[in-house]
Amino acid sequence: MLCTSSISEIFMNTTSSGVVIPQTSDIKSKVQQAFVRIFGDQFSLDPSTANGRLIDAITTLFVDVCGVNAQNANGFNIIQAGGSMLDELGAIFGIPRNGESDVLY
């Protein structure tokens, strides 16, 4: 199963300022490690091979998923939220905006 502990750690990038997207190179390294763990040391990681192209595609998928997850998570962070997400947070807590900017709100 590809979703091993090293892969699941990709989504554990939370800081005091919110959820951040990990570096693409870090994600790719974890995907490569998972493939080697599953298929053995003889599994080619060369980017010019079909294996390498598959790793690149899966890496891109994880990067995109991390971006969407971070965007959604940060939308619930009162410090990171803006625009309509901030309006929605205010509505949840019953706080009307009254025309303030995002910063003042």
Side-chain angles (χ1 to χ4, degrees), residues 18-33:
V19 177
V20 296
I21 302 169
Q23 294 292 317
T24 300
S25 58
D26 293 340
I27 293 175
K28 184 174 183 176
S29 175
K30 290 181 186 214
V31 170
Q32 289 173 326
Q33 291 168 18

PDB file of all heavy atoms in Angstrom, residues 18-33:
ATOM      1  N   GLY A  18      -0.392  28.494  10.289  1.00  0.00           N
ATOM      2  CA  GLY A  18      -1.365  27.734   9.506  1.00  0.00           C
ATOM      3  C   GLY A  18      -0.747  26.525   8.849  1.00  0.00           C
ATOM      4  O   GLY A  18       0.392  26.142   9.121  1.00  0.00           O
ATOM      5  N   VAL A  19      -1.510  25.912   7.956  1.00  0.00           N
ATOM      6  CA  VAL A  19      -1.051  24.732   7.230  1.00  0.00           C
ATOM      7  C   VAL A  19      -0.257  25.207   6.025  1.00  0.00           C
ATOM      8  O   VAL A  19      -0.693  26.086   5.287  1.00  0.00           O
ATOM      9  CB  VAL A  19      -2.254  23.878   6.777  1.00  0.00           C
ATOM     10  CG1 VAL A  19      -1.794  22.687   5.951  1.00  0.00           C
ATOM     11  CG2 VAL A  19      -3.058  23.413   7.989  1.00  0.00           C
ATOM     12  N   VAL A  20       0.905  24.624   5.816  1.00  0.00           N
ATOM     13  CA  VAL A  20       1.754  25.003   4.692  1.00  0.00           C
ATOM     14  C   VAL A  20       1.966  23.811   3.770  1.00  0.00           C
ATOM     15  O   VAL A  20       1.835  22.663   4.181  1.00  0.00           O
ATOM     16  CB  VAL A  20       3.122  25.559   5.158  1.00  0.00           C
ATOM     17  CG1 VAL A  20       2.955  26.840   5.938  1.00  0.00           C
ATOM     18  CG2 VAL A  20       3.859  24.524   5.990  1.00  0.00           C
ATOM     19  N   ILE A  21       2.303  24.107   2.534  1.00  0.00           N
ATOM     20  CA  ILE A  21       2.555  23.067   1.546  1.00  0.00           C
ATOM     21  C   ILE A  21       4.030  22.676   1.623  1.00  0.00           C
ATOM     22  O   ILE A  21       4.906  23.545   1.561  1.00  0.00           O
ATOM     23  CB  ILE A  21       2.224  23.578   0.135  1.00  0.00           C
ATOM     24  CG1 ILE A  21       0.770  24.021   0.067  1.00  0.00           C
ATOM     25  CG2 ILE A  21       2.514  22.509  -0.910  1.00  0.00           C
ATOM     26  CD1 ILE A  21       0.419  24.769  -1.197  1.00  0.00           C
ATOM     27  N   PRO A  22       4.313  21.385   1.767  1.00  0.00           N
ATOM     28  CA  PRO A  22       5.716  20.964   1.817  1.00  0.00           C
ATOM     29  C   PRO A  22       6.397  21.162   0.459  1.00  0.00           C
ATOM     30  O   PRO A  22       5.728  21.300  -0.565  1.00  0.00           O
ATOM     31  CB  PRO A  22       5.630  19.478   2.176  1.00  0.00           C
ATOM     32  CG  PRO A  22       4.258  19.057   1.800  1.00  0.00           C
ATOM     33  CD  PRO A  22       3.385  20.271   1.881  1.00  0.00           C
ATOM     34  N   GLN A  23       7.707  21.177   0.470  1.00  0.00           N
ATOM     35  CA  GLN A  23       8.484  21.314  -0.752  1.00  0.00           C
ATOM     36  C   GLN A  23       8.224  20.123  -1.676  1.00  0.00           C
ATOM     37  O   GLN A  23       8.143  18.979  -1.227  1.00  0.00           O
ATOM     38  CB  GLN A  23       9.985  21.381  -0.434  1.00  0.00           C
ATOM     39  CG  GLN A  23      10.398  22.609   0.334  1.00  0.00           C
ATOM     40  CD  GLN A  23      10.260  23.859  -0.505  1.00  0.00           C
ATOM     41  OE1 GLN A  23      10.612  23.890  -1.682  1.00  0.00           O
ATOM     42  NE2 GLN A  23       9.727  24.901   0.101  1.00  0.00           N
ATOM     43  N   THR A  24       8.117  20.394  -2.967  1.00  0.00           N
ATOM     44  CA  THR A  24       7.879  19.336  -3.942  1.00  0.00           C
ATOM     45  C   THR A  24       8.978  18.285  -3.871  1.00  0.00           C
ATOM     46  O   THR A  24       8.702  17.084  -3.963  1.00  0.00           O
ATOM     47  CB  THR A  24       7.787  19.926  -5.366  1.00  0.00           C
ATOM     48  OG1 THR A  24       6.707  20.858  -5.396  1.00  0.00           O
ATOM     49  CG2 THR A  24       7.555  18.846  -6.398  1.00  0.00           C
ATOM     50  N   SER A  25      10.214  18.713  -3.679  1.00  0.00           N
ATOM     51  CA  SER A  25      11.331  17.762  -3.611  1.00  0.00           C
ATOM     52  C   SER A  25      11.182  16.818  -2.413  1.00  0.00           C
ATOM     53  O   SER A  25      11.529  15.637  -2.502  1.00  0.00           O
ATOM     54  CB  SER A  25      12.669  18.496  -3.546  1.00  0.00           C
ATOM     55  OG  SER A  25      12.710  19.352  -2.417  1.00  0.00           O
ATOM     56  N   ASP A  26      10.647  17.318  -1.300  1.00  0.00           N
ATOM     57  CA  ASP A  26      10.419  16.463  -0.132  1.00  0.00           C
ATOM     58  C   ASP A  26       9.327  15.438  -0.414  1.00  0.00           C
ATOM     59  O   ASP A  26       9.436  14.274  -0.027  1.00  0.00           O
ATOM     60  CB  ASP A  26      10.031  17.298   1.090  1.00  0.00           C
ATOM     61  CG  ASP A  26      11.168  18.176   1.591  1.00  0.00           C
ATOM     62  OD1 ASP A  26      12.340  17.893   1.261  1.00  0.00           O
ATOM     63  OD2 ASP A  26      10.880  19.159   2.296  1.00  0.00           O
ATOM     64  N   ILE A  27       8.276  15.874  -1.082  1.00  0.00           N
ATOM     65  CA  ILE A  27       7.198  14.954  -1.430  1.00  0.00           C
ATOM     66  C   ILE A  27       7.716  13.885  -2.384  1.00  0.00           C
ATOM     67  O   ILE A  27       7.463  12.696  -2.204  1.00  0.00           O
ATOM     68  CB  ILE A  27       6.010  15.713  -2.056  1.00  0.00           C
ATOM     69  CG1 ILE A  27       5.362  16.614  -1.006  1.00  0.00           C
ATOM     70  CG2 ILE A  27       4.991  14.743  -2.645  1.00  0.00           C
ATOM     71  CD1 ILE A  27       4.262  17.500  -1.550  1.00  0.00           C
ATOM     72  N   LYS A  28       8.478  14.301  -3.395  1.00  0.00           N
ATOM     73  CA  LYS A  28       9.008  13.342  -4.369  1.00  0.00           C
ATOM     74  C   LYS A  28       9.903  12.320  -3.689  1.00  0.00           C
ATOM     75  O   LYS A  28       9.836  11.123  -3.982  1.00  0.00           O
ATOM     76  CB  LYS A  28       9.769  14.068  -5.480  1.00  0.00           C
ATOM     77  CG  LYS A  28      10.265  13.131  -6.556  1.00  0.00           C
ATOM     78  CD  LYS A  28      10.886  13.889  -7.709  1.00  0.00           C
ATOM     79  CE  LYS A  28      11.309  12.932  -8.816  1.00  0.00           C
ATOM     80  NZ  LYS A  28      11.823  13.648  -9.989  1.00  0.00           N
ATOM     81  N   SER A  29      10.716  12.773  -2.770  1.00  0.00           N
ATOM     82  CA  SER A  29      11.599  11.869  -2.042  1.00  0.00           C
ATOM     83  C   SER A  29      10.791  10.815  -1.281  1.00  0.00           C
ATOM     84  O   SER A  29      11.140   9.632  -1.276  1.00  0.00           O
ATOM     85  CB  SER A  29      12.479  12.664  -1.084  1.00  0.00           C
ATOM     86  OG  SER A  29      13.262  11.804  -0.299  1.00  0.00           O
ATOM     87  N   LYS A  30       9.700  11.226  -0.651  1.00  0.00           N
ATOM     88  CA  LYS A  30       8.866  10.276   0.100  1.00  0.00           C
ATOM     89  C   LYS A  30       8.158   9.301  -0.831  1.00  0.00           C
ATOM     90  O   LYS A  30       8.014   8.127  -0.509  1.00  0.00           O
ATOM     91  CB  LYS A  30       7.882  11.029   0.981  1.00  0.00           C
ATOM     92  CG  LYS A  30       8.594  11.715   2.130  1.00  0.00           C
ATOM     93  CD  LYS A  30       7.654  12.456   3.039  1.00  0.00           C
ATOM     94  CE  LYS A  30       8.499  13.206   4.057  1.00  0.00           C
ATOM     95  NZ  LYS A  30       7.959  13.329   5.330  1.00  0.00           N
ATOM     96  N   VAL A  31       7.731   9.781  -1.998  1.00  0.00           N
ATOM     97  CA  VAL A  31       7.105   8.891  -2.978  1.00  0.00           C
ATOM     98  C   VAL A  31       8.138   7.875  -3.470  1.00  0.00           C
ATOM     99  O   VAL A  31       7.848   6.672  -3.561  1.00  0.00           O
ATOM    100  CB  VAL A  31       6.498   9.700  -4.150  1.00  0.00           C
ATOM    101  CG1 VAL A  31       6.057   8.774  -5.279  1.00  0.00           C
ATOM    102  CG2 VAL A  31       5.339  10.566  -3.674  1.00  0.00           C
ATOM    103  N   GLN A  32       9.343   8.334  -3.761  1.00  0.00           N
ATOM    104  CA  GLN A  32      10.404   7.423  -4.192  1.00  0.00           C
ATOM    105  C   GLN A  32      10.702   6.374  -3.126  1.00  0.00           C
ATOM    106  O   GLN A  32      10.841   5.191  -3.431  1.00  0.00           O
ATOM    107  CB  GLN A  32      11.675   8.210  -4.520  1.00  0.00           C
ATOM    108  CG  GLN A  32      11.580   9.025  -5.776  1.00  0.00           C
ATOM    109  CD  GLN A  32      12.787   9.923  -5.983  1.00  0.00           C
ATOM    110  OE1 GLN A  32      13.376  10.428  -5.027  1.00  0.00           O
ATOM    111  NE2 GLN A  32      13.146  10.141  -7.236  1.00  0.00           N
ATOM    112  N   GLN A  33      10.805   6.816  -1.880  1.00  0.00           N
ATOM    113  CA  GLN A  33      11.066   5.881  -0.779  1.00  0.00           C
ATOM    114  C   GLN A  33       9.975   4.824  -0.683  1.00  0.00           C
ATOM    115  O   GLN A  33      10.262   3.646  -0.450  1.00  0.00           O
ATOM    116  CB  GLN A  33      11.180   6.631   0.546  1.00  0.00           C
ATOM    117  CG  GLN A  33      12.399   7.507   0.671  1.00  0.00           C
ATOM    118  CD  GLN A  33      12.316   8.450   1.864  1.00  0.00           C
ATOM    119  OE1 GLN A  33      11.522   8.248   2.783  1.00  0.00           O
ATOM    120  NE2 GLN A  33      13.132   9.492   1.855  1.00  0.00           N
TER     121      GLN A  33
END
